[in-house]
Amino acid sequence: MINNEEDHMTTLLVAKQYIKKFISKYEVYLKPLFKLILALTSLMMINGKIGYMHKLDNISVVLIAALMCSFMPMNFIIFVAAAFTVLHLYALSLECAVIALVLFLVMFLLYFRFSPKDALVVLLTPMCFILKIPYVMPLAMGLLGTPASAVSVGCGVVVSYLIGYISESATALSGMAMEDMASKFRFVIDGLLGNKDMLLTIIAFSVTLILVYLVKRLSVDYAWTIAMIAGAIVNVMILLVGDLVFDTNVSIVGIIIGTIFSVLIAKIVEFFAFHMDYSRVEKVQFEDDEYYYYVKAVPKITVATPSRTVKRINTPKKKYAGNQARREKDV
């Protein structure tokens, strides 16, 4: 049984090395392709959720915008997604578009101030909400990011709840009088700021992300795994306690199932980003003129990909050449 597990692990490690080599070799092609897929997916999700402007809810327009994004920096995808959202909301209500535009401007200022490299997070968080696995974002960014990544995750949460709230309230907004702009502004702002579920989610995700970041930096064996489990438990506890206090009506079964899937995805992230062999831990001590140093060294698990060699056997040819030489000599 142990040998079988080792064989499976070796196979996975070899596959990991092949994937890394493939990505490194074809990065110049894979990077635009990845941005194309990301932009295409995010824009199609926006159209599917709030496709009020029919000119944008067109596959040709989406493809053109996604192709533009594939050759531009990653942050450009955020601007295009924000523009699609504002234009769709403008088709529904001018007030919704203005509120969304102001909200996006504030978030962009916070985003570029604290975590300008987390463009992927701002896009993936709303997408994970649609896929019902939003809890993977604080776990993954706690492992790969910094505490400042909580700003990007929080921005993604706000965008998700904004789109969801306006989508659910579209009928009520359409029924309001055209001249009653103040009522529409008040309706959207009160609904967003008074959304206890959104505020609770932002708090839970921020605490979870920071906790995972702090635990995974500890000098203990399996720190990343402990950080994931601790973060998942704390996230569930905050959401459940918040549900009891604020009566947010969250789905307990949905939280538990979503958290389990999120931990599994985080384990895959750990496998590719931080895979250590804790059976060969070494503790090293050395000194200089001013300090003693105590270092714990944990080796990474690496497996060399098997190389294929092809041998050519030219014996028949040599034999033929030797026979030919003898014949010429006899002549």
Side-chain angles (χ1 to χ4, degrees):
M1 179 68 81
I2 296 176
N3 290 333
N4 290 336
E5 291 180 358
E6 291 179 353
D7 291 340
H8 290 318
M9 182 56 65
T10 302
T11 303
L12 289 174
L13 291 172
V14 171
K16 172 184 172 181
Q17 293 299 111
Y18 275 124
I19 293 171
K20 282 188 172 182
K21 285 186 177 181
F22 180 81
I23 293 175
S24 177
K25 184 177 181 180
Y26 298 102
E27 182 181 6
V28 67
Y29 307 108
L30 293 176
K31 197 170 182 180
L33 179 61
F34 172 75
K35 288 191 285 187
L36 173 66
I37 295 173
L38 180 64
L40 187 63
T41 305
S42 60
L43 295 180
M44 289 181 67
M45 284 185 172
I46 291 172
N47 286 348
K49 197 75 175 175
I50 51 169
Y52 302 118
M53 183 173 283
H54 299 295
K55 292 182 179 179
L56 292 181
D57 194 9
N58 186 305
I59 189 62
S60 299
V61 176
V62 173
L63 281 173
I64 292 172
L67 285 171
M68 289 175 55
C69 293
S70 65
F71 297 101
M72 300 295 288
M74 187 69 73
N75 288 326
F76 184 74
I77 305 177
I78 299 179
F79 287 109
V80 173
F84 265 62
T85 303
V86 171
L87 290 173
H88 279 305
L89 296 182
Y90 174 75
L92 174 67
S93 167
L94 174 62
E95 295 78 11
C96 292
V98 171
I99 292 171
L101 181 60
V102 173
L103 188 62
F104 284 143
L105 290 176
V106 173
M107 287 193 301
F108 284 149
L109 292 175
L110 291 173
Y111 161 72
F112 284 114
R113 172 64 180 85
F114 294 100
S115 51
K117 296 182 179 180
D118 290 342
L120 203 59
V121 181
V122 181
L123 289 169
L124 289 180
T125 302
M127 293 168 66
C128 287
F129 268 94
I130 295 175
L131 297 174
K132 308 299 182 183
I133 50 170
Y135 315 109
V136 70
M137 294 310 301
L139 297 179
M141 292 313 300
L143 296 174
L144 302 177
T146 64
S149 301
V151 176
S152 300
V153 175
C155 290
V157 172
V158 173
V159 171
S160 303
Y161 277 91
L162 172 67
I163 294 175
Y165 176 72
I166 292 179
S167 177
E168 294 173 358
S169 307
T171 304
L173 288 168
S174 301
M176 292 183 179
M178 294 291 293
E179 297 80 9
D180 199 4
M181 295 182 63
S183 298
K184 289 185 178 181
F185 275 117
R186 194 181 313 111
F187 180 80
V188 176
I189 294 174
D190 290 346
L192 193 62
L193 295 180
N195 194 326
K196 297 178 181 179
D197 191 11
M198 182 187 73
L199 297 176
L200 178 63
T201 303
I202 293 174
I203 294 171
F205 281 15
S206 300
V207 173
T208 300
L209 189 151
I210 295 172
L211 175 66
V212 172
Y213 174 81
L214 293 176
V215 174
K216 67 111 176 184
R217 292 174 59 87
L218 296 178
S219 178
V220 296
D221 293 352
Y222 305 100
W224 280 45
T225 301
I226 296 172
M228 281 184 283
I229 295 174
I233 293 174
V234 168
N235 183 69
V236 172
M237 292 298 296
I238 293 176
L239 292 175
L240 294 182
V241 171
D243 179 49
L244 293 175
V245 175
F246 300 109
D247 193 20
T248 55
N249 295 320
V250 296
S251 173
I252 298 177
V253 176
I255 291 175
I256 295 174
I257 295 176
T259 301
I260 292 173
F261 276 103
S262 299
V263 171
L264 294 177
I265 296 172
K267 284 296 292 182
I268 296 174
V269 172
E270 178 195 11
F271 177 75
F272 282 96
F274 187 85
H275 199 211
M276 312 300 288
D277 186 0
Y278 289 100
S279 63
R280 297 190 292 119
V281 175
E282 296 181 4
K283 294 185 178 180
V284 183
Q285 176 183 345
F286 57 94
E287 64 177 289
D288 59 15
D289 294 338
E290 298 181 357
Y291 295 95
Y292 279 97
Y293 299 91
Y294 300 90
V295 179
K296 179 181 180 180
V298 185
K300 295 181 179 180
I301 298 179
T302 56
V303 176
T305 54
S307 58
R308 298 179 179 178
T309 57
V310 179
K311 294 183 180 180
R312 290 187 176 181
I313 302 175
N314 298 322
T315 304
K317 187 175 180 180
K318 290 181 179 179
K319 185 177 181 181
Y320 173 79
N323 293 336
Q324 187 69 20
R326 289 195 203 95
R327 290 173 186 167
E328 290 178 357
K329 185 176 180 181
D330 291 341
V331 174

